[in-house]
Amino acid sequence: AMIEKSKQLAAWAAVDHYIKPEHSVIAIGSGSTVPFVVERILQQGEHVNSKRKFIPTSFQAKELIVSNGLALGDVDQYPVIDVDIDGADEVDLKLNAIKGGGACHLREKVLAEASRRFIIVADYRKNSAILGSSWTQGIPVEVAPFAYAKVMVNLERIEGCESAKLRMGKAKAGPVVTDNGCFVIDAQFDEHRFSDPELLLSKIKMLTGIMEVGLFCDMTDAAYFGNVDGTVTIRN
Ligand code: DER
């Protein structure tokens, strides 16, 4: 309950500060924090008489938009987005983030880059000084199925890589398949690598067969963390 409350605190504060009546194209992130973003937008009521379009970062986000009666937009038609609010698995002091715990990070990163403002909302567990402190499941790497075994070999050769494992489904036999029909490899690195996340990202992203990497560097305008004591930490 405290974690859920802290997600709500972060989401409401971010919406109140960053989503204004004049914003007409809004990207909706993925995960369990973002429903509180939609909840607050509905409370604002601006969407009712505006031409607002909501762009989903995943099938899950699309369902959230549609089930709440918000106007669904397509990034093909709205490639320039006013504000994107999304969750994260962990955020460091420089607003670098690990994303992809929900295997949605390719579309999330595309829309984050397409947005004038990219805001992260999260509970206190995600608020770290250095990446890899609280999120210990590795960096999510989306990969073309054809290339996954070769990419696993390439990842394990990167200095500091401790393991690279294909993400398997829990309620599905075989590997997780993303909204893009791809697989996810979770790559564990020793914590020294996270002192320079951009260098690590560049080493991973260049491997042929990789679709996207769950390291968001130099992309986030602000991060909102809900705290146990009911306060919100804002980092920007
Ligand atoms: O996959 C992602 O990057 C999502 O944003 C997700 O990891 C955030 O998760 P949560 O909001 O459910 O904690």
Side-chain angles (χ1 to χ4, degrees), residues 15 19 23-30 34 37-38 41 52-58 61-62 64-65 70-71 73 75 78 80-87 107-119 121:
V15 168
I19 296 196
H23 291 147
S24 55
V25 185
I26 296 167
I28 298 295
S30 306
V34 168
V37 169
V38 170
I41 288 172
R52 256 181 184 172
K53 298 293 180 194
F54 293 85
I55 320 296
T57 55
S58 63
K62 186 180 82 168
L64 184 63
I65 291 165
L70 295 174
V75 64
Y78 302 96
V80 177
I81 294 166
D82 293 311
V83 193
D84 176 4
I85 304 185
D86 199 350
R107 297 189 183 189
E108 288 174 336
K109 198 185 269 191
V110 168
L111 295 188
E113 271 193 12
S115 300
R116 292 197 183 90
R117 286 276 184 280
F118 177 60
I119 311 300
V121 290

Side-chain angles (χ1 to χ4, degrees), residues 7 30-33 86-89 99-104 108 126:
K7 290 177 182 179
S30 306
S32 64
T33 306
D86 199 350
D89 298 308
K99 284 176 61 51
C104 301
E108 288 174 336
K126 314 329 185 44

